[in-house]
Amino acid sequence: MKRLIALLLASIMVLACMPLALAESGPVEIKWSFGLGGSLGELMLSLVDDYNASQDKVHVTPQQYGSYGASIQAFHADLAAGTPPECLLFQMWYMAEFENYFAALNDRYANDADFHAEDILKGCLDCMYGTDGETIYGVPIYATTQVMYYRKDAFEGRDIEETFSTWQNLSAAAAEIAKTENGETVFFGWEPMWGSGNITDAVQSAGGKVFTDSTCRTVDWLTDEWVDVVSSFAKWIHEDKIMRIHYGGSGYEYWYNTIDDVMEGRAAGYTGSVGDQGDLDFNIVGCHKQPGWGDHPSAANSSALMIVMPDSIPDEKKDAAWDFMKYLSSPAVQGKIARASGYVVTRQSCLDDPEYAAYVAENPQVIAAIDAINSAVKYYVDPTGGYVDSALGDLADKIEIENYDVIQALTEAQEEAQAALDEFWAEHDAQ
């Protein structure tokens, strides 16, 4: 008996002397799935290497796919097989479909003193919530919205802040800047981007909504806000001819035609993505957040790419995944991602990181992009999987291209969207 006790004590002493950091089992192994190619995909792989080399408690194995869609398809299959990756780069558009599989992060946001949730830009934080508006599922790592790119020479002598404070002020400036020859506009005062995005941004900046409430069951696009905004865009494009829309073509041909008009001196400015910054010469153009509408502040749509973790994984792996998520969310890493992608950082404190601060000093337009994200709101998510978006796209075509009657166009779009919503929710509620 004494020998047995001695052996047990010796065993306890050996265990007590073992380090807490997973002495025999090694680091916690987790998988990180993302759909990124090109230079941003290469950067993500290098960040994984840097993280693995920086500590010995967690080891991340990357699973790289060529697109967001491919990674989501793989995630769906992995869920079915019971082998999901511990971390996934996720787009907010899929939240309603997948949120029940994700771990809620509210407690980690609130209680992890190293995370500094209060530092996250508002337009990014809004995107992290699920459909209930209360549960946080993701950590943002880069964001995008649409902003105003203007030729400095065309707006020379004007108060930029005042000019871009409202769409009414901008349209007045555009009317003065536009040039005509023989009754035809040869230099446009502004070029919105084809599609419903700029319209919904302006409607929200006028105090309007895509859905009547947070349940996303009904739409009302015959409100004063919708009628005022849509009528104004129709007037500026077709009657006043101070603005122009490029449309059609192959792929993003219309987008680059719009950019070319501004950069080659055929238009004073355009509304485009923060991701366009790599294609622009900021000796020629400046950048500003989108205008408000009347007395309302700017409320353009924003979207943020986030990292999520499945709720089904063990707690040990959740802790490991959270550590990696915090690493990708850190200011220094955020700065690297933003510089490589052209998108926007998700933390205000990134401006305090020396490398990113030096980058901003050379690229002051970045401040305007951060300001835009700070004032932006979460992009609406179409619960039908695209039918409401399609109705809005049809509306944009009728207004921007066909010069349709405004009330008729809004009525037809609303009827199309509401029919799709009624069908979707009837099927959903019957399940």
Side-chain angles (χ1 to χ4, degrees), residues 261-280:
D261 271 3
V262 176
M263 299 309 297
E264 296 172 9
R266 293 184 292 272
Y270 80 102
T271 313
S273 169
V274 294
D276 291 350
Q277 294 186 9
D279 297 318
L280 303 176

Side-chain angles (χ1 to χ4, degrees), residues 27 66 85 95 151 171 178 325 329 397:
M95 184 62 78
R151 286 190 66 96
S171 64
M325 292 161 78
S329 177
D397 284 352

Side-chain angles (χ1 to χ4, degrees), residues 72-110:
I72 289 294
Q73 288 180 348
F75 180 65
H76 198 282
D78 290 340
L79 280 174
T83 58
E86 286 74 20
C87 288
L88 171 72
L89 181 64
F90 188 72
Q91 285 182 301
M92 52 178 282
W93 320 116
Y94 301 102
M95 184 62 78
E97 180 180 357
F98 287 99
E99 64 183 353
N100 290 336
Y101 297 103
F102 298 149
L105 303 177
N106 297 63
D107 287 345
R108 295 184 187 270
Y109 264 67

